[in-house]
């Protein structure tokens, strides 16, 4: 186990151990944004089980691998909000390709069930 402080990949400015890691270890996210950040970090850290566990059963894939996982650089949350059991996060996620820096802009929808937030689906915005 590595006890060196690691900056959280989600870009919060906190250490991983005080940010997304507790969620990866089973703590419930309090807000859709918190869940979204922890899922971004999970893509960076390639935590397939966490991504599947936090995916709504209606849209959850059967499995996942990281063969096409881009080289994630940075997350930028533009806005987020929730109304009851529905939540939305508008974000940009930056990654590098051999051709340079690229950005995925998405509005993700989240649903809360039994006290836990789940990623449901996303709308990718074309630049
Ligand atoms: Zn984080």
């Amino acid at each position: 186990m590595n006890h060196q402080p690691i900056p959280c990949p989600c870009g919060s400015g906190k250490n991983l151990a005080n940010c997304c890691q507790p969620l990866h270890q089973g703590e419930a996210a309090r807000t859709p944004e918190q869940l979204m950040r922890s899922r971004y970090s999970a893509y960076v850290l390639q935590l397939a089980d966490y991504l599947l566990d936090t995916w709504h059963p209606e849209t959850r894939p059967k499995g996942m691998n990281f063969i096409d996982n881009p080289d994630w650089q940075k997350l930028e949350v533009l806005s987020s909000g929730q109304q009851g059991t529905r939540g939305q996060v508008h974000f940009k996620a930056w990654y590098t390709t051999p051709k340079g820096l690229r950005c995925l802009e998405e509005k993700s929808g989240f649903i809360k069930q039994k006290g836990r937030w789940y990623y449901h689906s996303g709308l990718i915005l074309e630049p």
Side-chain angles (χ1 to χ4, degrees):
M1 190 70 197
N2 184 355
H3 291 288
Q4 286 286 105
I6 302 165
C8 195
C10 81
S12 62
K14 295 187 226 169
N15 290 324
L16 179 59
N18 300 321
C19 187
C20 293
Q21 194 170 61
L23 276 68
H24 296 159
Q25 292 172 347
E27 200 174 283
R30 289 184 303 276
T31 63
E33 178 174 339
Q34 205 183 22
L35 182 71
M36 193 270 140
R37 287 180 167 279
S38 71
R39 284 177 50 86
Y40 172 85
S41 294
Y43 273 104
V44 174
L45 301 168
Q46 306 201 350
L47 306 174
D49 288 348
Y50 182 73
L51 290 164
L52 293 170
D53 285 349
T54 55
W55 213 308
H56 196 276
E58 267 175 26
T59 53
R60 181 191 295 153
K62 287 209 164 48
M64 62 187 308
N65 62 57
F66 296 94
I67 292 167
D68 295 323
N69 197 34
D71 189 5
W72 297 106
Q73 299 297 316
K74 188 170 79 132
L75 173 68
E76 203 181 325
V77 174
L78 303 174
S79 68
S80 65
Q82 65 188 86
Q83 281 188 307
T85 56
R86 301 287 151 137
Q88 198 184 59
V89 181
H90 180 190
F91 67 91
K92 286 181 174 178
W94 298 89
Y95 59 96
T96 47
T97 71
K99 291 177 184 165
L101 195 61
R102 294 285 184 275
C103 162
L104 166 75
E105 183 173 356
E106 184 179 309
K107 284 186 176 173
S108 290
F110 296 85
I111 295 179
K112 195 177 193 180
Q113 271 183 351
K114 294 181 183 163
R116 287 196 169 249
W117 284 102
Y118 295 89
Y119 170 72
H120 187 270
S121 50
L123 174 68
I124 293 175
L125 305 172
E126 300 297 336

